[in-house]
Amino acid sequence: MWHSMLWLLLLWPVSTRTESICGSQELRQASDFEKLRNCSIIVGHVHIANLQLPANVNLNDLRSEVTEITDYLMIYRTTGLLTLESIFPKLRLIRGQKLLFDRYSLIVYENRNLRELGLVELLRIQKGYIRIESNPMLCFVETVDWIYLLGNKTVQHFSIKLNKSPNHCPVCGGLAADYSYRVNKTINCWNMQRTQVRVVPPKTEGCPVNCGRNGCDAKGHCCSNNCITGCSNQNCTLCANFLRNGRCVDQCIASYELNRRQCISFKECRQRKLIPLTQGYRCVDRCPNNHKPVVDNNGAKQCQLECKGLFHVKRAADLEQLQDCVTINGSLIIELEDIKEKIVSALEQALDNVKEITGYLKIQQSAPLMSLTFLKNLDTIRGDELIENKYVLWVVNNHHLEHIWPTNRQVALQRGTVFFHLNPRLCHDKIMKLQSSLRSGHQISIADVSPNSNGERVFCGDLVQSLDPVVEDINSTAVRIVLDYLILDNIDTLIGYSYHYMEAPQRNITMYDGRHGCGHDNWLMDVSISKSRRHVISNLKPYTQYAYFVKTLTRTDYHMQIDAYSKIQYFRTLPSKSSPVSRLFGTSDFSTQIMVHWWPPRLPNGNITRYIVNYELHNITEPEAKNYAKNKTLNANDVDCYCNIQEPYYSGPQPEDENYYNKDQMIYEDALPDLIYVSRRKLLAKKEKFGMVKDFDDLITGRPIERIVNRTTTTSTTTTSTSTTTTTTTTTTTTTTPKPPATQSSLAVNGFKPTTTEDPAIQYEKFRLYLEEKMRMVQDTNINDYVILHDPPKCQNAHASVANQLEQKCAVEEELSGISLSGSQLFYNLTELQPNQYYRISVRACVDGVINGCSNPATILVKTISIEATDLMNYSES
């Protein structure tokens, strides 16, 4: 009877109910619950934290009328609270539109006296994770069907641990576990009196397989997951996302969002005496922070976006007042104080729409900034107000700033001029390109833009060469990159290369987008302290697209400055065997059926095209069954294993003080002593190996070329002669030239042997070619150190022995058996099972295009309910 009444209640039209809307609630003492008492919908979150209830508290004082929470519910470190039913007896929906820590929608953590959750009317947790942990007295957690409550079963997860053991808890509908008499009428409940509420679909038998547990209507159409209280989106009383004209929709289109749960028209918003906000299309009761209320000619209140005044941005929180601004009626100062804050992405989001600044732009002492490309749509800085009545763009003391505006974009500077100083990584020639942007006609002077304090720590102009990296070989976790030959006047100036890479789902990455000067971004860096033009980047994720670029690490002095960069390029790693499915969960609502759900692998490592489900009857005694936790995955070590995937290290270790450093600096500090403090013997060998001739005149007036080239050939003779002398000691080092690749000319192999009768110009050209070949040889040494492994191919003989596989270096493809399902299906209903029996169920994820690409099986034990329990459940539903 009561089920029929519940169904009528769920179908009660929403328009007949009175809704009291409240904002977020922070409840820390018993008197705070007065604010919650008359609220029916919480637009925000509810925090119940550090609450200490006295023993004589009146539970009626805690009771509320809340039916929905749009964000999340947190219960943390309460004392004296026994059940949430005393507070939320009518709570039906937690939407999870804004999550705690961007992850959780229901958190019940470290509550000393909590005996049960008691959310007896809860029907859906639409978004976010569930975490119920460290509640020593909490029971009736394992008896809740959390899968049924999840809005998106493929994305959401729940973590339940460190609560009271189910073996020491009562059971649904019965007495305590240590009593001799107990009756188990149902397996899903919130406490001994209240079973878990479910909306029964019109049909469960004979529905299409993809309907799952949602069931279908009389016509065989799957019930919508968007309607919580019914089967159809039409005439639904409680929608998971938004309600518009009695119909459930996923988002508000051509309408205004009200209370994050309803879509209404402009007219309806006005009829409710609210304000239709164009930015974001929201219907609000008061204007946001960066808007001011104005009254139009009809007497209606409107919100006018107001971005007026001097805006000083020091941290991410200061950007809220600039949200949605198109024109800043005033000036903008950016002075970032916290070098560890990930603020670049926040700048890109908040200032994305800005097209005009009427005053000036000032960037100073902002170490995180590498460019000003976060102002991607800025067109004009008018200069109605100037710094010192002269400067419209002021950029001073930005240690990592390397670039100004986005590529191929000109920002018009209407009045005034520019002031750039103490930007050691910003090239002077980049600043001088702003001359064409000055509409005032001012000429940029040395006093305004210093060539000495801008760009003195980097190579600029013609000193920068281009690198052309190519992916030479690749597997699922590593890539070998080879560069073109780098020809320098002196190869000894080259320390090595730094390889910068990041995950790039789309090919729209630039060298400066999202870059943080102190390394707090998603870029990784791999450094090679070697002159070799090959390098292997390892610890990559399988089947992942990466963007990368390469730059040189060089030693610099006044006479020799050179550097080289590459453009952004991309590669995708190969697919590999998947990790096991992240979790299995099985329930039995009928004596002959088990519904199995699973979550996708944490590391799919490719395109999951199918799942393989196997099950078998598992003979197990009742005493043994007590050792198995319900729905616990048996091979937890495989499921919970995380591979050692390289993560962004944010410029290496992050010290707590402000004396931060980056990896580039570390490499320099480690490598420079080896280059400076070397023995005279090694220094002499290097000079002999790479004698430098700058031009033809240097060749004529300098050392005789025979002495440069033939020094290595006379070394052995010198050594022999000095060994017979006892009064004089001479030290000589012989340099052995490594065997060059077959493609190199014999000039580098056999050495350059000039003749005295040959034209000096011809001698110079031969000697230059000789040095270039030597440089190429150095950059091609130790090629065998850069080999990456590949999976063996498929054996032609499907029954090849192990010896044959080793001999032919191939692998036999595994023969798979079981129920094959689509890679998009994450559930399966096992039927025709035996009642009251344990079944071992395993699921494997299979990757397309990989030999033996199916994961290790994740396995659970699930018991079907008895025939008597099925009859009792059917009787109670009827």
CSV table of all heavy atoms in Angstrom, one decimal, residues 303-332:
chain,number,residue,atom,x,y,z
A,303,CYS,N,21.1,44.3,-15.0
A,303,CYS,CA,22.5,44.3,-14.6
A,303,CYS,C,23.4,44.7,-15.7
A,303,CYS,O,23.4,44.1,-16.8
A,303,CYS,CB,22.9,42.9,-14.1
A,303,CYS,SG,22.0,42.3,-12.6
A,304,GLN,N,24.1,45.7,-15.5
A,304,GLN,CA,25.0,46.3,-16.5
A,304,GLN,C,26.5,45.9,-16.1
A,304,GLN,O,26.9,46.2,-15.0
A,304,GLN,CB,24.9,47.8,-16.6
A,304,GLN,CG,25.8,48.4,-17.7
A,304,GLN,CD,25.5,49.9,-17.8
A,304,GLN,OE1,24.4,50.4,-17.6
A,304,GLN,NE2,26.6,50.6,-18.2
A,305,LEU,N,27.1,45.2,-17.1
A,305,LEU,CA,28.5,44.8,-16.9
A,305,LEU,C,29.4,46.1,-16.7
A,305,LEU,O,29.4,47.0,-17.5
A,305,LEU,CB,29.0,44.0,-18.0
A,305,LEU,CG,30.4,43.4,-17.9
A,305,LEU,CD1,30.5,42.5,-16.8
A,305,LEU,CD2,30.8,42.8,-19.2
A,306,GLU,N,30.1,46.1,-15.6
A,306,GLU,CA,30.9,47.3,-15.3
A,306,GLU,C,32.3,46.9,-15.0
A,306,GLU,O,32.6,46.3,-14.0
A,306,GLU,CB,30.3,48.1,-14.1
A,306,GLU,CG,31.0,49.4,-13.7
A,306,GLU,CD,30.4,50.0,-12.5
A,306,GLU,OE1,30.1,49.3,-11.5
A,306,GLU,OE2,30.3,51.3,-12.5
A,307,CYS,N,33.1,47.2,-15.9
A,307,CYS,CA,34.6,47.0,-15.8
A,307,CYS,C,35.3,48.3,-15.7
A,307,CYS,O,35.9,48.7,-16.7
A,307,CYS,CB,35.1,46.1,-16.9
A,307,CYS,SG,34.2,44.5,-17.1
A,308,LYS,N,35.1,49.0,-14.7
A,308,LYS,CA,35.6,50.4,-14.6
A,308,LYS,C,36.5,50.6,-13.4
A,308,LYS,O,36.2,50.1,-12.3
A,308,LYS,CB,34.4,51.4,-14.5
A,308,LYS,CG,34.7,52.8,-14.6
A,308,LYS,CD,33.5,53.7,-14.5
A,308,LYS,CE,33.8,55.2,-14.6
A,308,LYS,NZ,32.6,56.0,-14.6
A,309,GLY,N,37.6,51.3,-13.6
A,309,GLY,CA,38.5,51.6,-12.6
A,309,GLY,C,39.9,51.0,-12.8
A,309,GLY,O,40.2,50.5,-13.9
A,310,LEU,N,40.7,51.0,-11.8
A,310,LEU,CA,42.0,50.4,-11.8
A,310,LEU,C,42.0,49.0,-11.3
A,310,LEU,O,41.6,48.8,-10.1
A,310,LEU,CB,43.0,51.3,-11.0
A,310,LEU,CG,44.5,50.8,-10.9
A,310,LEU,CD1,45.1,50.7,-12.3
A,310,LEU,CD2,45.3,51.7,-9.9
A,311,PHE,N,42.3,48.0,-12.1
A,311,PHE,CA,42.3,46.6,-11.7
A,311,PHE,C,43.7,46.1,-11.5
A,311,PHE,O,44.6,46.2,-12.4
A,311,PHE,CB,41.6,45.8,-12.8
A,311,PHE,CG,40.2,46.1,-13.0
A,311,PHE,CD1,39.8,47.1,-14.0
A,311,PHE,CD2,39.2,45.6,-12.2
A,311,PHE,CE1,38.5,47.4,-14.2
A,311,PHE,CE2,37.9,45.9,-12.4
A,311,PHE,CZ,37.5,46.8,-13.4
A,312,HIS,N,44.0,45.7,-10.2
A,312,HIS,CA,45.3,45.3,-9.8
A,312,HIS,C,45.3,43.8,-9.6
A,312,HIS,O,44.7,43.3,-8.6
A,312,HIS,CB,45.8,46.0,-8.6
A,312,HIS,CG,47.3,45.9,-8.4
A,312,HIS,ND1,48.0,46.8,-7.6
A,312,HIS,CD2,48.2,45.1,-8.9
A,312,HIS,CE1,49.3,46.5,-7.6
A,312,HIS,NE2,49.4,45.5,-8.4
A,313,VAL,N,45.8,43.0,-10.4
A,313,VAL,CA,45.8,41.5,-10.3
A,313,VAL,C,47.1,41.0,-9.7
A,313,VAL,O,48.1,41.1,-10.3
A,313,VAL,CB,45.6,40.8,-11.7
A,313,VAL,CG1,45.6,39.3,-11.6
A,313,VAL,CG2,44.3,41.3,-12.3
A,314,LYS,N,46.9,40.4,-8.5
A,314,LYS,CA,48.1,39.9,-7.8
A,314,LYS,C,48.0,38.3,-7.6
A,314,LYS,O,48.9,37.7,-7.5
A,314,LYS,CB,48.2,40.5,-6.4
A,314,LYS,CG,48.6,42.0,-6.4
A,314,LYS,CD,48.8,42.5,-5.0
A,314,LYS,CE,49.3,44.0,-5.1
A,314,LYS,NZ,49.5,44.5,-3.7
A,315,ARG,N,46.7,37.8,-7.7
A,315,ARG,CA,46.5,36.4,-7.6
A,315,ARG,C,45.2,36.0,-8.3
A,315,ARG,O,44.5,36.9,-8.8
A,315,ARG,CB,46.4,36.0,-6.1
A,315,ARG,CG,45.3,36.8,-5.3
A,315,ARG,CD,45.4,36.5,-3.8
A,315,ARG,NE,46.7,37.0,-3.3
A,315,ARG,CZ,46.8,38.2,-2.9
A,315,ARG,NH1,45.9,39.1,-3.0
A,315,ARG,NH2,48.0,38.6,-2.4
A,316,ALA,N,44.9,34.8,-8.4
A,316,ALA,CA,43.8,34.3,-9.2
A,316,ALA,C,42.5,34.8,-8.7
A,316,ALA,O,41.6,35.1,-9.5
A,316,ALA,CB,43.8,32.8,-9.3
A,317,ALA,N,42.4,35.0,-7.4
A,317,ALA,CA,41.1,35.5,-6.9
A,317,ALA,C,40.8,36.9,-7.4
A,317,ALA,O,39.6,37.3,-7.4
A,317,ALA,CB,41.2,35.5,-5.4
A,318,ASP,N,41.8,37.7,-7.8
A,318,ASP,CA,41.5,39.1,-8.2
A,318,ASP,C,40.9,39.1,-9.6
A,318,ASP,O,40.5,40.2,-10.1
A,318,ASP,CB,42.8,39.9,-8.2
A,318,ASP,CG,43.4,40.0,-6.8
A,318,ASP,OD1,42.7,39.9,-5.9
A,318,ASP,OD2,44.7,40.1,-6.7
A,319,LEU,N,40.9,38.0,-10.3
A,319,LEU,CA,40.4,37.9,-11.7
A,319,LEU,C,38.9,37.9,-11.8
A,319,LEU,O,38.3,38.1,-12.8
A,319,LEU,CB,41.0,36.8,-12.4
A,319,LEU,CG,42.5,36.8,-12.7
A,319,LEU,CD1,43.0,35.5,-13.2
A,319,LEU,CD2,42.8,37.9,-13.7
A,320,GLU,N,38.2,37.6,-10.6
A,320,GLU,CA,36.8,37.4,-10.7
A,320,GLU,C,36.1,38.7,-11.1
A,320,GLU,O,35.1,38.7,-11.8
A,320,GLU,CB,36.3,37.0,-9.3
A,320,GLU,CG,34.8,36.8,-9.2
A,320,GLU,CD,34.3,36.4,-7.8
A,320,GLU,OE1,35.2,36.3,-6.9
A,320,GLU,OE2,33.1,36.3,-7.6
A,321,GLN,N,36.6,39.9,-10.7
A,321,GLN,CA,36.0,41.1,-11.1
A,321,GLN,C,36.2,41.5,-12.6
A,321,GLN,O,35.5,42.4,-13.1
A,321,GLN,CB,36.6,42.3,-10.3
A,321,GLN,CG,38.1,42.3,-10.4
A,321,GLN,CD,38.8,43.3,-9.4
A,321,GLN,OE1,38.1,44.2,-8.9
A,321,GLN,NE2,40.0,43.1,-9.1
A,322,LEU,N,37.0,40.7,-13.3
A,322,LEU,CA,37.2,40.9,-14.7
A,322,LEU,C,36.5,39.9,-15.6
A,322,LEU,O,36.6,39.9,-16.8
A,322,LEU,CB,38.7,40.9,-15.0
A,322,LEU,CG,39.6,42.1,-14.5
A,322,LEU,CD1,41.0,41.8,-14.6
A,322,LEU,CD2,39.2,43.4,-15.2
A,323,GLN,N,35.8,39.0,-15.0
A,323,GLN,CA,35.1,38.0,-15.7
A,323,GLN,C,34.1,38.6,-16.7
A,323,GLN,O,33.3,39.5,-16.3
A,323,GLN,CB,34.4,37.0,-14.7
A,323,GLN,CG,34.0,35.7,-15.4
A,323,GLN,CD,35.2,34.8,-15.6
A,323,GLN,OE1,36.1,34.7,-14.9
A,323,GLN,NE2,35.1,34.0,-16.7
A,324,ASP,N,34.1,38.1,-17.9
A,324,ASP,CA,33.1,38.6,-18.9
A,324,ASP,C,33.4,40.0,-19.5
A,324,ASP,O,32.6,40.5,-20.3
A,324,ASP,CB,31.7,38.5,-18.5
A,324,ASP,CG,31.3,37.1,-18.1
A,324,ASP,OD1,31.7,36.1,-18.7
A,324,ASP,OD2,30.5,36.9,-17.1
A,325,CYS,N,34.4,40.6,-19.0
A,325,CYS,CA,34.7,42.0,-19.5
A,325,CYS,C,35.2,42.0,-20.9
A,325,CYS,O,36.0,41.2,-21.3
A,325,CYS,CB,35.8,42.7,-18.6
A,325,CYS,SG,35.2,43.1,-17.0
A,326,VAL,N,34.6,42.9,-21.7
A,326,VAL,CA,35.0,43.0,-23.1
A,326,VAL,C,35.9,44.3,-23.2
A,326,VAL,O,36.9,44.3,-23.9
A,326,VAL,CB,33.8,43.1,-24.1
A,326,VAL,CG1,34.3,43.4,-25.5
A,326,VAL,CG2,33.0,41.8,-24.0
A,327,THR,N,35.5,45.4,-22.6
A,327,THR,CA,36.2,46.6,-22.5
A,327,THR,C,36.5,47.0,-21.1
A,327,THR,O,35.6,47.0,-20.2
A,327,THR,CB,35.4,47.8,-23.1
A,327,THR,OG1,35.2,47.5,-24.5
A,327,THR,CG2,36.2,49.1,-23.1
A,328,ILE,N,37.8,47.2,-20.8
A,328,ILE,CA,38.2,47.6,-19.4
A,328,ILE,C,38.3,49.1,-19.4
A,328,ILE,O,39.1,49.7,-20.1
A,328,ILE,CB,39.6,47.0,-19.0
A,328,ILE,CG1,39.5,45.5,-18.9
A,328,ILE,CG2,40.0,47.6,-17.7
A,328,ILE,CD1,40.8,44.8,-18.6
A,329,ASN,N,37.3,49.7,-18.8
A,329,ASN,CA,37.2,51.2,-18.7
A,329,ASN,C,38.1,51.7,-17.6
A,329,ASN,O,37.7,52.1,-16.5
A,329,ASN,CB,35.8,51.7,-18.5
A,329,ASN,CG,34.9,51.4,-19.7
A,329,ASN,OD1,35.1,51.8,-20.8
A,329,ASN,ND2,33.9,50.6,-19.4
A,330,GLY,N,39.4,51.6,-17.9
A,330,GLY,CA,40.4,52.0,-16.9
A,330,GLY,C,41.7,51.4,-17.3
A,330,GLY,O,42.0,51.2,-18.4
A,331,SER,N,42.5,51.0,-16.3
A,331,SER,CA,43.8,50.4,-16.5
A,331,SER,C,43.9,49.1,-15.8
A,331,SER,O,43.2,48.8,-14.9
A,331,SER,CB,44.9,51.4,-16.0
A,331,SER,OG,44.8,52.7,-16.7
A,332,LEU,N,44.9,48.3,-16.3
A,332,LEU,CA,45.1,47.0,-15.8
A,332,LEU,C,46.6,46.8,-15.4
A,332,LEU,O,47.5,47.1,-16.2
A,332,LEU,CB,44.8,45.9,-16.9
A,332,LEU,CG,45.0,44.5,-16.5
A,332,LEU,CD1,44.2,44.0,-15.3
A,332,LEU,CD2,44.7,43.6,-17.7
